[in-house]
Amino acid sequence: MPEVRATVVLELQLSGSAGAFTDVTADVVSQSRILAEYGINGGGPLDRVGQTGKMDFRLRNDARNSGAKLGYYSPGHANARSGFDLGIGIRLKITYSGSTFYKWRGELSRIEPTPGQYQSRQTLCTALDWFNNAAKRKMRLQAVQLSQRADQAIGTVVSSMTDLPPASTLTTGQDTFPTVFDVTHDESTSVMRELYKLTVSELGYLYMKGDQVQGGTLQFEDRHTRPKYGSSSASLGNACMMGLQLERGTRLIYNRVKIDVSPRETGAAASILFTLQSKPLVAQSTCLVIEGRYTDPDNRGLLRIGGASMVSPASTTDFTMNSASDGSGTNLTSSFTVSASYGGNSVRYQLANTGTTSGYITLLQARGRPIIIKEPALADVLDQTSIDSYGESVLRVGMDYQDNVLIANDAANALLGNWKNPANVLESVEFLANKSDDLMKAALQREPGDKVTITESVTSIDADYFINGVELVIMPPTVIKCKWTLTPAGTTNYWILGIVGSSELGTTTTLGY
């Protein structure tokens, strides 16, 4: 029997996104498990952005549920519970020793009632966290921003969405990028991909985490957050752990690091970045939507570029309409309205013919300051001794918004120093929270980004690690098993001048940047 017990509550936002949460714990199938996972699912050098978090659970769909109705959790059924449907908010709340922790939060994404009146009569539910929204949504017409840090740009991306995370905590980035969003392709780049590019350009971390306020907090760490963390927040020893996954393999060795950076050249004055090549006919009293992509004025149509300080379309200068496709007929420009929505490297026009006759678009162009990646640079560092011993293993990093090759070179040296030699890499650890007060507090209080100490005698592990990801398996009503995905804290011991415990080169630190 568990020695330590916590109160587990599953809540649904049945009254809508702005409504209160309703406790449905009584309807969770007692023989099933609640599986909740979130954070970063890996501990390698490029595991820096979280994956979509997921929670699975089963609800009673027979007449012995809290509604005493068969089909209570079958949307569309005559007995279906009001408000229970896809997209509603879900929250996992655990209370222990007078403190409440919101360990997981997201939205219901799958509802699968088991058919058959003599079968299990359960409804399998899957919920996904905010990263699912970020993965599905495309970056649409996000204008170029100048002189922005990663945290500022991430805030811009997040705030552009209609479905925001419940909360965000973004630490101040170390670098200011000359431009952001100029290489964001509106037609294909997802919000998730853009967040990854910004995070890796800083070599920080971005993930979802739980808290004691509302759950589902989006957390960004700059690259100095972990080196400055201080002492670990929890410790696990031999007797505490149910499982430990460790590997010592050549696939975890990187003895050559290549980092790509992209210096930009930004034009001082506006140039023509897009020109419509066709001359479409717009019928009277109709509208037309046209999208164009910016290309290098000196290599028209060949090299896609970014654009800043875009100029509002001016009649006769940027657009003209005529009764003849070659422009030899009647000028109809005054009978058209043109509005432009400018993104980082594309434009969307809405054109309306308000006149009484059809007209051809004989000119349509976009002007702005061109932003061109002229000569991409590469920082390339290696350790020949490691290569001779284990074969060459290359870590390739794309820092899309970083323009300083010296910073890239320092980052490459730091990564090389941490990953060039064999090591016992502790990938994850599992423990039963119910075994003790300390373990229950560790399971509930510790989140991605926290430092913990792991000690195990058989593998000779005795070191600090950062939690990257969390998995909770709950067997109702009280059994809680916790699994942490880990990354070695030693890989973030960069040299930070003037910080005691982070500035003793060769003892507490490695060369950083």
Side-chain angles (χ1 to χ4, degrees):
M1 294 292 293
E3 300 175 4
V4 174
R5 299 175 186 270
T7 301
V8 178
V9 176
L10 182 67
E11 298 180 316
L12 303 183
Q13 212 166 12
L14 295 170
S15 54
S17 60
F21 282 90
T22 300
D23 183 354
V24 298
T25 311
D27 289 342
V28 176
V29 177
S30 59
Q31 294 81 18
S32 68
R33 66 177 186 173
I34 298 173
L35 172 62
E37 55 189 14
Y38 59 97
I40 303 171
N41 187 26
L46 292 184
D47 291 314
R48 294 181 175 270
V49 176
Q51 290 74 39
T52 297
K54 183 174 74 168
M55 183 164 68
D56 292 324
F57 56 94
R58 291 179 180 269
L59 298 175
R60 297 194 63 156
N61 205 25
D62 60 3
R64 289 181 294 174
N65 53 41
S66 61
K69 296 177 181 179
L70 179 68
Y72 199 44
Y73 291 107
S74 295
H77 195 286
N79 294 333
R81 184 167 192 170
S82 177
F84 179 75
D85 210 338
L86 298 175
I88 64 172
I90 294 183
R91 192 166 67 179
L92 180 64
K93 180 172 72 173
I94 304 178
T95 301
Y96 176 70
S97 190
S99 298
T100 297
F101 303 88
Y102 299 99
K103 295 297 290 182
W104 196 97
R105 184 163 173 173
E107 295 178 347
L108 191 57
S109 67
R110 183 172 68 130
I111 301 172
E112 189 177 324
T114 303
Q117 61 177 325
Y118 301 113
Q119 299 302 315
S120 64
R121 290 165 293 177
Q122 301 174 1
T123 297
L124 171 64
C125 300
T126 298
L128 303 175
D129 68 15
W130 180 82
F131 272 149
N132 179 57
N133 300 326
K136 292 191 300 182
R137 186 185 184 277
K138 294 293 188 290
M139 294 287 296
R140 291 296 295 156
L141 298 173
Q142 177 61 61
V144 165
Q145 304 268 332
L146 305 178
S147 300
Q148 293 283 293
R149 301 185 308 269
D151 60 293
Q152 294 172 313
I154 289 171
T156 297
V157 172
V158 172
S159 63
S160 71
M161 299 181 66
T162 56
D163 41 8
L164 304 178
S168 299
T169 302
L170 310 177
T171 58
T172 302
Q174 294 300 309
D175 296 325
T176 298
F177 308 129
T179 65
V180 293
F181 309 134
D182 56 303
V183 292
T184 301
H185 293 177
D186 293 324
E187 70 281 359
S188 60
T189 303
S190 68
V191 167
M192 193 74 160
R193 176 60 185 166
E194 189 64 23
L195 294 175
Y196 182 84
K197 290 194 297 183
L198 289 164
T199 302
V200 173
S201 293
E202 164 75 19
L203 278 188
Y205 292 89
L206 183 73
Y207 49 83
M208 304 299 295
K209 62 182 295 187
D211 54 44
Q212 291 188 262
V213 181
Q214 77 290 308
T217 295
L218 178 67
Q219 176 74 53
F220 170 71
E221 301 176 9
D222 76 301
R223 66 171 177 266
H224 283 184
T225 298
R226 296 192 178 190
K228 294 180 179 178
Y229 188 93
S231 302
S232 66
S233 302
S235 299
L236 297 183
N238 289 289
C240 300
M241 295 175 286
M242 296 175 59
L244 183 150
Q245 185 173 352
L246 179 143
E247 180 178 350
R248 185 183 182 93
T250 55
R251 76 174 186 89
L252 303 174
I253 295 174
Y254 297 99
N255 44 38
R256 185 170 189 175
V257 180
K258 297 182 178 183
I259 297 184
D260 297 280
V261 295
S262 303
R264 269 71 162 173
E265 180 180 289
T266 302
S271 300
I272 298 172
L273 306 184
F274 165 75
T275 301
L276 183 65
Q277 299 301 310
S278 62
K279 294 178 171 55
L281 179 67
V282 185
Q284 64 187 66
S285 303
T286 61
C287 298
L288 182 66
V289 174
I290 294 175
E291 295 189 358
R293 301 174 183 177
Y294 311 154
T295 57
D296 185 351
D298 297 328
N299 297 277
R300 176 63 60 207
L302 298 178
L303 177 64
R304 191 165 181 181
I305 65 170
S309 306
M310 301 303 296
V311 180
S312 297
S315 174
T316 70
T317 299
D318 297 309
F319 62 91
T320 59
M321 288 73 182
N322 198 280
S323 61
S325 61
D326 61 1
S328 62
T330 304
N331 190 319
L332 303 176
T333 305
S334 61
S335 297
F336 277 76
T337 61
V338 177
S339 62
S341 300
Y342 295 111
N345 51 53
S346 65
V347 57
R348 179 183 174 90
Y349 291 104
Q350 289 185 307
L351 304 101
N353 183 350
T354 60
T356 58
T357 183
S358 299
Y360 292 92
I361 302 173
T362 54
L363 172 65
L364 184 64
Q365 66 180 26
R367 290 178 294 142
R369 296 166 58 199
I371 303 174
I372 304 173
I373 300 174
K374 285 292 190 180
E375 296 176 352
L378 175 68
D380 186 357
V381 299
L382 57 86
D383 186 277
Q384 193 60 51
T385 300
S386 177
I387 291 174
D388 292 342
S389 299
Y390 311 107
E392 184 176 272
S393 178
V394 180
L395 177 66
R396 193 71 183 254
V397 184
M399 302 178 76
D400 290 40
Y401 292 120
Q402 184 62 257
D403 72 327
N404 191 329
V405 72
L406 296 179
I407 291 178
N409 191 72
D410 289 344
N413 277 299
L415 290 169
L416 180 70
N418 289 322
W419 294 93
K420 67 181 180 179
N421 294 318
N424 294 331
V425 178
L426 180 57
E427 297 177 337
S428 65
V429 63
E430 297 180 67
F431 59 94
L432 183 65
N434 305 87
K435 289 185 67 174
S436 71
D437 175 72
D438 285 342
L439 289 176
M440 182 63 74
K441 288 179 178 177
L444 299 182
Q445 294 175 356
R446 303 281 65 86
E447 292 287 343
D450 287 337
K451 184 191 286 186
V452 295
T453 301
I454 309 296
T455 305
E456 204 280 325
S457 57
V458 174
T459 57
S460 192
I461 291 290
D462 186 2
D464 290 339
Y465 297 83
F466 281 102
I467 300 172
N468 266 0
V470 173
E471 177 185 286
L472 296 175
V473 178
I474 301 171
M475 296 298 296
T478 60
V479 177
I480 301 174
K481 185 174 74 172
C482 181
K483 178 180 179 180
W484 291 334
T485 298
L486 304 171
T487 188
T491 60
T492 61
N493 288 338
Y494 302 143
W495 189 14
I496 305 175
L497 291 174
I499 303 296
V500 176
S502 296
S503 56
E504 296 81 23
L505 184 59
T507 302
T508 59
T509 73
T510 57
L511 280 173
Y513 59 104

mmCIF file of all heavy atoms in Angstrom, residues 1-43:
data_model
loop_
_atom_site.group_PDB
_atom_site.id
_atom_site.type_symbol
_atom_site.label_atom_id
_atom_site.label_comp_id
_atom_site.label_asym_id
_atom_site.label_seq_id
_atom_site.Cartn_x
_atom_site.Cartn_y
_atom_site.Cartn_z
ATOM 1 N N MET A 1 0.829 -1.192 0.000
ATOM 2 C CA MET A 1 0.000 0.000 0.000
ATOM 3 C C MET A 1 0.873 1.256 0.000
ATOM 4 O O MET A 1 1.924 1.279 0.640
ATOM 5 C CB MET A 1 -0.900 0.012 1.233
ATOM 6 C CG MET A 1 -1.938 -1.101 1.241
ATOM 7 S SD MET A 1 -3.183 -0.860 -0.053
ATOM 8 C CE MET A 1 -3.985 0.611 0.566
ATOM 9 N N PRO A 2 0.433 2.298 -0.679
ATOM 10 C CA PRO A 2 1.214 3.538 -0.672
ATOM 11 C C PRO A 2 1.357 4.109 0.725
ATOM 12 O O PRO A 2 0.412 4.087 1.521
ATOM 13 C CB PRO A 2 0.387 4.453 -1.582
ATOM 14 C CG PRO A 2 -0.472 3.542 -2.395
ATOM 15 C CD PRO A 2 -0.736 2.364 -1.546
ATOM 16 N N GLU A 3 2.533 4.590 1.059
ATOM 17 C CA GLU A 3 2.757 5.182 2.368
ATOM 18 C C GLU A 3 2.319 6.638 2.419
ATOM 19 O O GLU A 3 1.917 7.151 3.460
ATOM 20 C CB GLU A 3 4.245 5.075 2.716
ATOM 21 C CG GLU A 3 4.754 3.630 2.764
ATOM 22 C CD GLU A 3 6.245 3.562 2.983
ATOM 23 O OE1 GLU A 3 6.866 4.636 3.167
ATOM 24 O OE2 GLU A 3 6.809 2.453 2.961
ATOM 25 N N VAL A 4 2.434 7.320 1.296
ATOM 26 C CA VAL A 4 2.102 8.745 1.227
ATOM 27 C C VAL A 4 1.044 8.923 0.158
ATOM 28 O O VAL A 4 1.142 8.377 -0.938
ATOM 29 C CB VAL A 4 3.365 9.576 0.878
ATOM 30 C CG1 VAL A 4 2.993 11.036 0.672
ATOM 31 C CG2 VAL A 4 4.407 9.438 1.969
ATOM 32 N N ARG A 5 0.017 9.691 0.470
ATOM 33 C CA ARG A 5 -1.105 9.850 -0.458
ATOM 34 C C ARG A 5 -1.319 11.325 -0.787
ATOM 35 O O ARG A 5 -1.205 12.184 0.084
ATOM 36 C CB ARG A 5 -2.394 9.272 0.123
ATOM 37 C CG ARG A 5 -2.312 7.787 0.417
ATOM 38 C CD ARG A 5 -3.583 7.303 1.097
ATOM 39 N NE ARG A 5 -3.461 5.912 1.501
ATOM 40 C CZ ARG A 5 -3.804 4.872 0.730
ATOM 41 N NH1 ARG A 5 -4.287 5.099 -0.492
ATOM 42 N NH2 ARG A 5 -3.665 3.632 1.150
ATOM 43 N N ALA A 6 -1.654 11.571 -2.041
ATOM 44 C CA ALA A 6 -2.042 12.908 -2.485
ATOM 45 C C ALA A 6 -3.436 12.811 -3.087
ATOM 46 O O ALA A 6 -3.918 11.730 -3.420
ATOM 47 C CB ALA A 6 -1.058 13.438 -3.523
ATOM 48 N N THR A 7 -4.090 13.944 -3.235
ATOM 49 C CA THR A 7 -5.419 13.989 -3.833
ATOM 50 C C THR A 7 -5.289 14.385 -5.296
ATOM 51 O O THR A 7 -4.793 15.472 -5.614
ATOM 52 C CB THR A 7 -6.319 14.998 -3.102
ATOM 53 O OG1 THR A 7 -6.424 14.615 -1.716
ATOM 54 C CG2 THR A 7 -7.709 15.029 -3.712
ATOM 55 N N VAL A 8 -5.724 13.491 -6.181
ATOM 56 C CA VAL A 8 -5.634 13.721 -7.620
ATOM 57 C C VAL A 8 -7.006 14.117 -8.147
ATOM 58 O O VAL A 8 -7.997 13.433 -7.882
ATOM 59 C CB VAL A 8 -5.134 12.463 -8.354
ATOM 60 C CG1 VAL A 8 -5.092 12.708 -9.861
ATOM 61 C CG2 VAL A 8 -3.757 12.059 -7.832
ATOM 62 N N VAL A 9 -7.063 15.220 -8.898
ATOM 63 C CA VAL A 9 -8.330 15.715 -9.439
ATOM 64 C C VAL A 9 -8.160 15.974 -10.929
ATOM 65 O O VAL A 9 -7.232 16.665 -11.350
ATOM 66 C CB VAL A 9 -8.779 17.013 -8.730
ATOM 67 C CG1 VAL A 9 -10.057 17.562 -9.374
ATOM 68 C CG2 VAL A 9 -8.998 16.761 -7.243
ATOM 69 N N LEU A 10 -9.067 15.413 -11.726
ATOM 70 C CA LEU A 10 -9.121 15.687 -13.159
ATOM 71 C C LEU A 10 -10.268 16.650 -13.405
ATOM 72 O O LEU A 10 -11.409 16.396 -13.002
ATOM 73 C CB LEU A 10 -9.329 14.399 -13.948
ATOM 74 C CG LEU A 10 -9.366 14.540 -15.466
ATOM 75 C CD1 LEU A 10 -8.006 14.965 -15.994
ATOM 76 C CD2 LEU A 10 -9.811 13.248 -16.126
ATOM 77 N N GLU A 11 -9.969 17.765 -14.070
ATOM 78 C CA GLU A 11 -10.964 18.808 -14.268
ATOM 79 C C GLU A 11 -11.180 19.083 -15.754
ATOM 80 O O GLU A 11 -10.229 19.113 -16.531
ATOM 81 C CB GLU A 11 -10.520 20.115 -13.589
ATOM 82 C CG GLU A 11 -10.371 19.997 -12.084
ATOM 83 C CD GLU A 11 -9.937 21.300 -11.452
ATOM 84 O OE1 GLU A 11 -9.027 21.948 -12.017
ATOM 85 O OE2 GLU A 11 -10.494 21.673 -10.407
ATOM 86 N N LEU A 12 -12.443 19.302 -16.129
ATOM 87 C CA LEU A 12 -12.808 19.674 -17.484
ATOM 88 C C LEU A 12 -13.459 21.049 -17.477
ATOM 89 O O LEU A 12 -14.207 21.379 -16.554
ATOM 90 C CB LEU A 12 -13.791 18.667 -18.093
ATOM 91 C CG LEU A 12 -13.372 17.204 -18.150
ATOM 92 C CD1 LEU A 12 -14.442 16.380 -18.859
ATOM 93 C CD2 LEU A 12 -12.037 17.032 -18.841
ATOM 94 N N GLN A 13 -13.185 21.813 -18.507
ATOM 95 C CA GLN A 13 -13.745 23.152 -18.643
ATOM 96 C C GLN A 13 -15.034 23.048 -19.476
ATOM 97 O O GLN A 13 -15.110 23.489 -20.614
ATOM 98 C CB GLN A 13 -12.729 24.079 -19.306
ATOM 99 C CG GLN A 13 -12.807 25.516 -18.860
ATOM 100 C CD GLN A 13 -11.578 26.294 -19.282
ATOM 101 O OE1 GLN A 13 -10.778 25.837 -20.091
ATOM 102 N NE2 GLN A 13 -11.405 27.483 -18.734
ATOM 103 N N LEU A 14 -16.067 22.497 -18.878
ATOM 104 C CA LEU A 14 -17.279 22.161 -19.605
ATOM 105 C C LEU A 14 -18.058 23.374 -20.093
ATOM 106 O O LEU A 14 -18.806 23.289 -21.064
ATOM 107 C CB LEU A 14 -18.196 21.307 -18.723
ATOM 108 C CG LEU A 14 -17.636 19.930 -18.344
ATOM 109 C CD1 LEU A 14 -18.508 19.280 -17.288
ATOM 110 C CD2 LEU A 14 -17.517 19.045 -19.570
ATOM 111 N N SER A 15 -17.869 24.508 -19.459
ATOM 112 C CA SER A 15 -18.649 25.694 -19.832
ATOM 113 C C SER A 15 -17.919 26.596 -20.812
ATOM 114 O O SER A 15 -18.293 27.746 -20.988
ATOM 115 C CB SER A 15 -19.016 26.490 -18.570
ATOM 116 O OG SER A 15 -17.860 26.790 -17.816
ATOM 117 N N GLY A 16 -16.864 26.083 -21.457
ATOM 118 C CA GLY A 16 -16.171 26.877 -22.460
ATOM 119 C C GLY A 16 -14.814 27.330 -21.987
ATOM 120 O O GLY A 16 -14.446 27.185 -20.825
ATOM 121 N N SER A 17 -14.065 27.950 -22.902
ATOM 122 C CA SER A 17 -12.678 28.325 -22.614
ATOM 123 C C SER A 17 -12.558 29.335 -21.490
ATOM 124 O O SER A 17 -11.544 29.387 -20.807
ATOM 125 C CB SER A 17 -12.016 28.882 -23.887
ATOM 126 O OG SER A 17 -12.706 30.031 -24.346
ATOM 127 N N ALA A 18 -13.577 30.151 -21.292
ATOM 128 C CA ALA A 18 -13.506 31.161 -20.237
ATOM 129 C C ALA A 18 -14.222 30.710 -18.975
ATOM 130 O O ALA A 18 -14.301 31.449 -17.994
ATOM 131 C CB ALA A 18 -14.118 32.471 -20.729
ATOM 132 N N GLY A 19 -14.772 29.491 -18.980
ATOM 133 C CA GLY A 19 -15.569 29.037 -17.857
ATOM 134 C C GLY A 19 -14.749 28.363 -16.780
ATOM 135 O O GLY A 19 -13.552 28.123 -16.916
ATOM 136 N N ALA A 20 -15.446 28.011 -15.697
ATOM 137 C CA ALA A 20 -14.800 27.352 -14.570
ATOM 138 C C ALA A 20 -14.560 25.882 -14.882
ATOM 139 O O ALA A 20 -15.225 25.279 -15.731
ATOM 140 C CB ALA A 20 -15.672 27.497 -13.334
ATOM 141 N N PHE A 21 -13.609 25.288 -14.174
ATOM 142 C CA PHE A 21 -13.321 23.871 -14.330
ATOM 143 C C PHE A 21 -14.250 23.047 -13.439
ATOM 144 O O PHE A 21 -14.592 23.460 -12.325
ATOM 145 C CB PHE A 21 -11.865 23.580 -13.967
ATOM 146 C CG PHE A 21 -10.890 23.971 -15.049
ATOM 147 C CD1 PHE A 21 -10.330 25.246 -15.072
ATOM 148 C CD2 PHE A 21 -10.528 23.067 -16.022
ATOM 149 C CE1 PHE A 21 -9.434 25.603 -16.058
ATOM 150 C CE2 PHE A 21 -9.624 23.416 -17.019
ATOM 151 C CZ PHE A 21 -9.076 24.686 -17.035
ATOM 152 N N THR A 22 -14.627 21.875 -13.946
ATOM 153 C CA THR A 22 -15.511 20.966 -13.219
ATOM 154 C C THR A 22 -14.761 19.680 -12.902
ATOM 155 O O THR A 22 -14.123 19.081 -13.768
ATOM 156 C CB THR A 22 -16.750 20.628 -14.071
ATOM 157 O OG1 THR A 22 -17.463 21.828 -14.365
ATOM 158 C CG2 THR A 22 -17.665 19.660 -13.335
ATOM 159 N N ASP A 23 -14.845 19.246 -11.646
ATOM 160 C CA ASP A 23 -14.185 18.024 -11.200
ATOM 161 C C ASP A 23 -14.936 16.804 -11.754
ATOM 162 O O ASP A 23 -16.123 16.608 -11.472
ATOM 163 C CB ASP A 23 -14.187 17.994 -9.672
ATOM 164 C CG ASP A 23 -13.463 16.786 -9.099
ATOM 165 O OD1 ASP A 23 -13.056 15.902 -9.881
ATOM 166 O OD2 ASP A 23 -13.313 16.715 -7.863
ATOM 167 N N VAL A 24 -14.235 15.984 -12.575
ATOM 168 C CA VAL A 24 -14.851 14.768 -13.121
ATOM 169 C C VAL A 24 -14.109 13.521 -12.641
ATOM 170 O O VAL A 24 -14.249 12.448 -13.234
ATOM 171 C CB VAL A 24 -14.882 14.810 -14.664
ATOM 172 C CG1 VAL A 24 -15.720 15.968 -15.161
ATOM 173 C CG2 VAL A 24 -13.469 14.873 -15.256
ATOM 174 N N THR A 25 -13.356 13.639 -11.563
ATOM 175 C CA THR A 25 -12.545 12.534 -11.072
ATOM 176 C C THR A 25 -13.386 11.299 -10.780
ATOM 177 O O THR A 25 -12.946 10.162 -11.011
ATOM 178 C CB THR A 25 -11.783 12.958 -9.808
ATOM 179 O OG1 THR A 25 -11.130 14.211 -10.035
ATOM 180 C CG2 THR A 25 -10.746 11.925 -9.419
ATOM 181 N N ALA A 26 -14.598 11.515 -10.273
ATOM 182 C CA ALA A 26 -15.464 10.388 -9.933
ATOM 183 C C ALA A 26 -15.812 9.539 -11.140
ATOM 184 O O ALA A 26 -16.162 8.356 -10.997
ATOM 185 C CB ALA A 26 -16.743 10.906 -9.274
ATOM 186 N N ASP A 27 -15.698 10.104 -12.339
ATOM 187 C CA ASP A 27 -16.036 9.367 -13.552
ATOM 188 C C ASP A 27 -14.823 8.743 -14.239
ATOM 189 O O ASP A 27 -14.983 8.100 -15.285
ATOM 190 C CB ASP A 27 -16.757 10.289 -14.542
ATOM 191 C CG ASP A 27 -18.164 10.634 -14.079
ATOM 192 O OD1 ASP A 27 -18.687 9.920 -13.212
ATOM 193 O OD2 ASP A 27 -18.729 11.621 -14.576
ATOM 194 N N VAL A 28 -13.639 8.916 -13.685
ATOM 195 C CA VAL A 28 -12.459 8.266 -14.244
ATOM 196 C C VAL A 28 -12.526 6.777 -13.924
ATOM 197 O O VAL A 28 -12.775 6.383 -12.779
ATOM 198 C CB VAL A 28 -11.169 8.881 -13.672
ATOM 199 C CG1 VAL A 28 -9.950 8.122 -14.183
ATOM 200 C CG2 VAL A 28 -11.068 10.352 -14.050
ATOM 201 N N VAL A 29 -12.314 5.934 -14.932
ATOM 202 C CA VAL A 29 -12.369 4.483 -14.726
ATOM 203 C C VAL A 29 -11.298 4.069 -13.732
ATOM 204 O O VAL A 29 -10.099 4.333 -13.940
ATOM 205 C CB VAL A 29 -12.189 3.746 -16.065
ATOM 206 C CG1 VAL A 29 -12.161 2.234 -15.849
ATOM 207 C CG2 VAL A 29 -13.298 4.125 -17.035
ATOM 208 N N SER A 30 -11.705 3.432 -12.651
ATOM 209 C CA SER A 30 -10.786 3.158 -11.542
ATOM 210 C C SER A 30 -9.697 2.167 -11.912
ATOM 211 O O SER A 30 -8.606 2.195 -11.345
ATOM 212 C CB SER A 30 -11.575 2.654 -10.336
ATOM 213 O OG SER A 30 -12.285 1.471 -10.668
ATOM 214 N N GLN A 31 -9.968 1.252 -12.858
ATOM 215 C CA GLN A 31 -8.956 0.269 -13.237
ATOM 216 C C GLN A 31 -7.999 0.786 -14.309
ATOM 217 O O GLN A 31 -7.085 0.079 -14.736
ATOM 218 C CB GLN A 31 -9.624 -1.012 -13.767
ATOM 219 C CG GLN A 31 -10.436 -1.786 -12.739
ATOM 220 C CD GLN A 31 -11.825 -1.195 -12.545
ATOM 221 O OE1 GLN A 31 -12.298 -0.440 -13.393
ATOM 222 N NE2 GLN A 31 -12.465 -1.530 -11.428
ATOM 223 N N SER A 32 -8.206 2.004 -14.776
ATOM 224 C CA SER A 32 -7.362 2.561 -15.829
ATOM 225 C C SER A 32 -6.330 3.510 -15.227
ATOM 226 O O SER A 32 -6.335 3.780 -14.026
ATOM 227 C CB SER A 32 -8.220 3.314 -16.846
ATOM 228 O OG SER A 32 -8.779 4.479 -16.258
ATOM 229 N N ARG A 33 -5.474 4.029 -16.081
ATOM 230 C CA ARG A 33 -4.459 4.958 -15.611
ATOM 231 C C ARG A 33 -4.652 6.305 -16.291
ATOM 232 O O ARG A 33 -5.191 6.411 -17.393
ATOM 233 C CB ARG A 33 -3.058 4.433 -15.921
ATOM 234 C CG ARG A 33 -2.754 4.357 -17.413
ATOM 235 C CD ARG A 33 -1.335 3.901 -17.673
ATOM 236 N NE ARG A 33 -1.016 3.969 -19.099
ATOM 237 C CZ ARG A 33 0.193 3.753 -19.607
ATOM 238 N NH1 ARG A 33 1.200 3.448 -18.803
ATOM 239 N NH2 ARG A 33 0.408 3.851 -20.908
ATOM 240 N N ILE A 34 -4.184 7.342 -15.632
ATOM 241 C CA ILE A 34 -4.045 8.659 -16.237
ATOM 242 C C ILE A 34 -2.566 8.822 -16.594
ATOM 243 O O ILE A 34 -1.697 8.688 -15.727
ATOM 244 C CB ILE A 34 -4.491 9.772 -15.282
ATOM 245 C CG1 ILE A 34 -5.966 9.621 -14.917
ATOM 246 C CG2 ILE A 34 -4.241 11.147 -15.905
ATOM 247 C CD1 ILE A 34 -6.427 10.593 -13.839
ATOM 248 N N LEU A 35 -2.290 9.067 -17.859
ATOM 249 C CA LEU A 35 -0.908 9.248 -18.309
ATOM 250 C C LEU A 35 -0.745 10.676 -18.796
ATOM 251 O O LEU A 35 -1.408 11.098 -19.746
ATOM 252 C CB LEU A 35 -0.578 8.271 -19.432
ATOM 253 C CG LEU A 35 0.774 8.466 -20.128
ATOM 254 C CD1 LEU A 35 1.924 8.270 -19.150
ATOM 255 C CD2 LEU A 35 0.916 7.521 -21.319
ATOM 256 N N ALA A 36 0.136 11.431 -18.143
ATOM 257 C CA ALA A 36 0.381 12.824 -18.518
ATOM 258 C C ALA A 36 1.862 13.011 -18.782
ATOM 259 O O ALA A 36 2.699 12.603 -17.967
ATOM 260 C CB ALA A 36 -0.082 13.763 -17.407
ATOM 261 N N GLU A 37 2.189 13.629 -19.915
ATOM 262 C CA GLU A 37 3.591 13.879 -20.249
ATOM 263 C C GLU A 37 3.734 15.255 -20.883
ATOM 264 O O GLU A 37 2.843 15.719 -21.593
ATOM 265 C CB GLU A 37 4.118 12.783 -21.183
ATOM 266 C CG GLU A 37 3.311 12.575 -22.444
ATOM 267 C CD GLU A 37 3.739 11.341 -23.218
ATOM 268 O OE1 GLU A 37 4.469 10.504 -22.654
ATOM 269 O OE2 GLU A 37 3.333 11.211 -24.389
ATOM 270 N N TYR A 38 4.867 15.896 -20.616
ATOM 271 C CA TYR A 38 5.110 17.238 -21.132
ATOM 272 C C TYR A 38 6.586 17.561 -21.013
ATOM 273 O O TYR A 38 7.350 16.851 -20.355
ATOM 274 C CB TYR A 38 4.266 18.269 -20.384
ATOM 275 C CG TYR A 38 4.515 18.323 -18.886
ATOM 276 C CD1 TYR A 38 5.376 19.264 -18.329
ATOM 277 C CD2 TYR A 38 3.872 17.436 -18.023
ATOM 278 C CE1 TYR A 38 5.592 19.322 -16.959
ATOM 279 C CE2 TYR A 38 4.075 17.485 -16.654
ATOM 280 C CZ TYR A 38 4.939 18.427 -16.125
ATOM 281 O OH TYR A 38 5.153 18.474 -14.771
ATOM 282 N N GLY A 39 6.989 18.647 -21.669
ATOM 283 C CA GLY A 39 8.381 19.082 -21.615
ATOM 284 C C GLY A 39 9.160 18.611 -22.836
ATOM 285 O O GLY A 39 8.599 18.366 -23.905
ATOM 286 N N ILE A 40 10.479 18.494 -22.672
ATOM 287 C CA ILE A 40 11.394 18.127 -23.755
ATOM 288 C C ILE A 40 11.709 16.645 -23.653
ATOM 289 O O ILE A 40 12.185 16.172 -22.625
ATOM 290 C CB ILE A 40 12.692 18.957 -23.681
ATOM 291 C CG1 ILE A 40 12.364 20.456 -23.727
ATOM 292 C CG2 ILE A 40 13.641 18.579 -24.807
ATOM 293 C CD1 ILE A 40 13.564 21.350 -23.448
ATOM 294 N N ASN A 41 11.465 15.896 -24.706
ATOM 295 C CA ASN A 41 11.622 14.448 -24.682
ATOM 296 C C ASN A 41 13.006 14.049 -25.177
ATOM 297 O O ASN A 41 13.164 13.379 -26.203
ATOM 298 C CB ASN A 41 10.539 13.789 -25.542
ATOM 299 C CG ASN A 41 10.557 12.278 -25.423
ATOM 300 O OD1 ASN A 41 11.002 11.742 -24.412
ATOM 301 N ND2 ASN A 41 10.084 11.596 -26.453
ATOM 302 N N GLY A 42 14.021 14.460 -24.473
ATOM 303 C CA GLY A 42 15.393 14.117 -24.835
ATOM 304 C C GLY A 42 16.373 14.987 -24.087
ATOM 305 O O GLY A 42 16.016 16.041 -23.546
ATOM 306 N N GLY A 43 17.627 14.543 -24.045
ATOM 307 C CA GLY A 43 18.637 15.285 -23.308
ATOM 308 C C GLY A 43 19.885 15.578 -24.104
ATOM 309 O O GLY A 43 20.934 15.881 -23.536
#
